[in-house]
Amino acid sequence: TTAPDTELEISAAIPYLRLESTTTSVSDNAVVGSLQWETKDSGDPGVCAEILARYNGTGGAADMALKVGNAGALIEAITILTNGNVGMGTIDPTHGKLHVVEDKDNAYACHIENTHNTGYGMKVKAGSTSGEYIFVCEQDAGTSSDFMFLVRGDGNVGIGTSTPTYPLHVVGDNDSDGGYMAHIENASDNATADILRLKNAHATNPAATNIYIAFADAGGSLDYIQGDASGGINFTGAADDAYSDRRVKTDIADLTGA
């Protein structure tokens, strides 16, 4: 163009801008091209942002990086590898297409927000077998045994275990007095507030083969709370003799002549 509207204007059907390095022997991780923004501010002059290409040791291939100014220095904020992996806070994004690293106390590494009142938050789609993880929460510098929470491809959810064998499998190591493995609380002040409901959706009159709660120790199963085939439940084993609870008894009749 003969009438540029800015200091540099490229006008063409398909405009190109090429930065060419004339170096004939490029070392690994060497910068082969850079586009910088510089300020002449009297209080803090210098380069305040940069986009660069970094040779990765493979012929004709280079990683890309975006650097931003931070306290007078350039910090690599985003890295894009030749395999498409994107890193934020790391120059070596090896854990998937998006790898985010943060090192700040009392701060989230990632925040995802949909401000629409009918919008969704996040969708994770992955494998469908027990050997594949869809979602994992892991302790810092942890190993597979340090999983805090995970969802497997078969739908099983594990808390404190990486091998959940049930739809919800909780494992812990709390030997303190009152150190329960689960706490369910209804904080409602309604007098009819309920706590927990167990439902067998495929049995009209659950029988002894329909177990609602199983009690076990290191040696195996102890007692059960199970159906009684009459629309109610009962205890098995020692628990059947140890408790006197009208709600789990059958054939109750008034005593006469006692």
Side-chain angles (χ1 to χ4, degrees):
T1 178
T2 58
D5 294 323
T6 62
E7 284 75 6
L8 174 62
E9 180 175 338
I10 302 174
S11 180
I14 304 177
Y16 287 95
L17 177 63
R18 173 180 290 181
L19 303 179
E20 181 177 348
S21 171
T22 58
T23 303
T24 57
S25 179
V26 184
S27 302
D28 292 354
N29 298 316
V31 175
V32 294
S34 171
L35 182 61
Q36 297 181 339
W37 286 260
E38 182 176 357
T39 174
K40 296 300 184 181
D41 182 81
S42 60
D44 188 17
V47 176
C48 57
E50 179 182 21
I51 297 176
L52 61 84
R54 187 167 47 224
Y55 185 65
N56 74 353
T58 303
D63 303 327
M64 298 294 296
L66 170 63
K67 293 187 175 184
V68 295
N70 187 338
L74 288 179
I75 303 298
E76 191 158 326
I78 299 177
T79 303
I80 305 175
L81 302 185
T82 54
N83 62 6
N85 285 9
V86 177
M88 295 183 177
T90 174
I91 62 173
D92 187 26
T94 57
H95 297 292
K97 290 302 178 184
L98 178 61
H99 186 172
V100 181
V101 176
E102 175 64 284
D103 185 15
K104 184 181 295 183
D105 190 25
N106 298 320
Y108 297 106
C110 181
H111 176 92
I112 299 175
E113 181 177 354
N114 185 340
T115 58
H116 196 283
N117 59 359
T118 59
Y120 302 119
M122 183 175 66
K123 179 180 181 180
V124 180
K125 184 177 182 180
S128 60
T129 70
S130 61
E132 298 165 316
Y133 299 141
I134 295 178
F135 187 81
V136 175
C137 291
E138 183 179 301
Q139 291 178 335
D140 180 39
T143 65
S144 59
S145 62
D146 295 320
F147 287 158
M148 300 174 65
F149 173 86
L150 65 85
V151 180
R152 285 197 324 199
D154 58 359
N156 286 5
V157 176
I159 299 177
T161 176
S162 62
T163 56
T165 54
Y166 308 97
L168 176 60
H169 191 165
V170 181
V171 175
D173 185 11
N174 190 346
D175 58 2
S176 63
D177 186 22
Y180 301 107
M181 292 302 304
H183 177 91
I184 301 174
E185 179 178 347
N186 186 338
S188 172
D189 57 4
N190 192 315
T192 61
D194 301 316
I195 302 298
L196 179 67
R197 184 184 187 207
L198 304 178
K199 179 180 180 179
N200 187 327
H202 300 287
T204 303
N205 289 310
T209 55
N210 301 120
I211 299 173
Y212 285 88
I213 299 178
F215 301 90
D217 61 12
S221 297
L222 297 175
D223 300 328
Y224 304 99
I225 297 178
Q226 61 191 27
D228 65 359
S230 300
I233 59 173
N234 60 32
F235 289 94
T236 66
D240 193 23
D241 301 324
Y243 296 96
S244 179
D245 192 329
R246 181 182 181 88
R247 294 169 297 180
V248 297
K249 292 183 179 299
T250 58
D251 301 324
I252 298 177
D254 292 333
L255 293 175
T256 59

